[in-house]
Amino acid sequence: MPVIPVNGMRLSYEEAGTGDPVVMIQGTGGGRTVWQLHQVPALTAAGLRVITFDNRGIPPSSECPEGFTLRDMVGDVAGLIERLDLGPCAVVGTSMGAFVAQELALARPDLVGRAVLMATRGRTDFLRAELTRAEIDLYDSGVRFPARYAAVLRALRSLSPRTLDDDTAMADWLDLFELSSAPGPGQRAQMELSRLANRLNAYRDIRVPCQVISFADDLITPPRLGREVADAVPGARYELIEGCGHYGYLEDPAAVNKVLVEFLTRELP
């Protein structure tokens, strides 16, 4: 697994496939391996070269416990694209990764050929602001829930009712969540980035072709907030995927991958 210096820190990344490059950006607490179960195989089978990486805050990339900004993360992706001579390339982001992707498309359109924005938003409403504050307060308190309890809470807020009602699927999900590592100081720094200012007016200046994907049962980033981003970005396409929560790309990878492959491989006008 290569590690390169980018934007004053160390960034770990992996590549798979050949063809036009696609850089994939994970959300808060997510590592590059999350993409490798479903999205990387689908995209490489479609003839694309896929670059996944660990955001700053997620080891083995630099943890940066002193904190960082969304601009820093945009600079990380820009530096990765430049160091690997990928641009202009496609970028795919989910949740916080989508915030990074849309800001990169705005700030460095020379590096972005097209962008997919999953589970995204362009502002922070009251409930999402309070959720972020509560998560940060919990982390700073030093209280750590028992692993199984934390897994159940994560499932309730991140998955769809369809999945929650499937006993067999839930047994697997809870085991997976329970094995996940507890958040460290780098993830604490990532939490701060959920305090997203209202950027909808700024996104009217994005000229990169964009595909917004929302998940119908997403409690963390409800579809109405993704729809706002699609309405703000000129010419953006919008897709609502039913029966999925915040982790829709893992709950229904076939539906998500179909949208990804179609958008990332189609001829642009």
Side-chain angles (χ1 to χ4, degrees):
M1 177 192 59
V3 176
I4 58 173
V6 168
N7 200 18
M9 43 84 72
R10 289 162 44 91
L11 203 67
S12 64
Y13 74 97
E14 288 189 66
E15 297 188 51
T18 58
D20 293 335
V22 181
V23 174
M24 307 197 74
I25 315 169
Q26 255 299 319
T28 302
R32 70 188 186 284
T33 57
V34 179
W35 297 120
Q36 294 172 3
L37 183 60
H38 299 296
Q39 279 67 52
V40 171
L43 296 181
T44 55
L48 297 167
R49 173 188 175 195
V50 184
I51 297 90
T52 57
F53 69 99
D54 294 305
N55 286 311
R56 68 164 65 203
I58 304 298
S61 289
S62 296
E63 203 160 9
C64 304
E66 68 280 2
F68 43 85
T69 66
L70 188 59
R71 179 175 294 183
D72 291 328
M73 298 193 74
V74 171
D76 296 343
V77 182
L80 176 68
I81 292 171
E82 290 176 326
R83 285 295 301 268
L84 299 181
D85 195 24
L86 304 174
C89 66
V91 294
V92 176
T94 188
S95 196
M96 180 193 70
F99 304 165
V100 175
Q102 58 210 29
E103 291 291 339
L104 179 66
L106 180 63
R108 294 295 307 272
D110 57 308
L111 297 180
V112 183
R114 64 187 86 192
V116 179
L117 314 170
M118 290 194 286
T120 194
R121 53 185 168 87
R123 63 183 179 90
T124 302
D125 64 1
F126 179 78
L127 182 58
R128 260 41 69 172
E130 290 301 302
L131 174 61
T132 297
R133 184 170 74 169
E135 288 179 328
I136 290 172
D137 287 349
L138 176 63
Y139 182 91
D140 291 347
S141 74
V143 173
R144 298 294 179 263
F145 293 137
R148 197 64 173 185
Y149 184 75
V152 171
L153 285 183
R154 186 175 177 185
L156 287 172
R157 73 175 193 169
S158 301
L159 302 175
S160 67
R162 174 178 60 86
T163 301
L164 296 174
D165 290 341
D166 184 333
D167 290 347
T168 301
M170 281 312 306
D172 292 337
W173 277 104
L174 291 179
D175 286 346
L176 176 65
F177 288 160
E178 191 171 0
L179 290 172
S180 300
S181 58
Q187 186 170 335
R188 162 63 173 80
Q190 288 185 354
M191 293 176 189
E192 293 283 356
L193 305 188
S194 290
R195 306 180 196 266
L196 189 68
N198 192 325
R199 298 288 290 159
L200 293 172
N201 282 335
Y203 294 159
R204 301 187 194 284
D205 292 330
I206 293 178
R207 295 296 178 264
V208 171
C210 290
Q211 169 75 66
V212 176
I213 300 174
S214 292
F215 303 116
D217 298 322
D218 191 344
L219 298 179
I220 296 176
T221 312
R224 61 183 175 81
L225 298 180
R227 178 80 256 186
E228 290 180 349
V229 174
D231 289 343
V233 176
R237 296 156 56 114
Y238 181 77
E239 186 81 23
L240 178 65
I241 297 183
E242 300 288 342
C244 289
H246 196 62
Y247 293 158
Y249 58 98
L250 299 176
E251 280 192 272
D252 193 349
V256 172
N257 291 344
K258 180 180 178 182
V259 178
L260 289 178
V261 169
E262 194 277 330
F263 180 73
L264 294 174
T265 60
R266 73 185 182 97
E267 292 291 331
L268 293 176

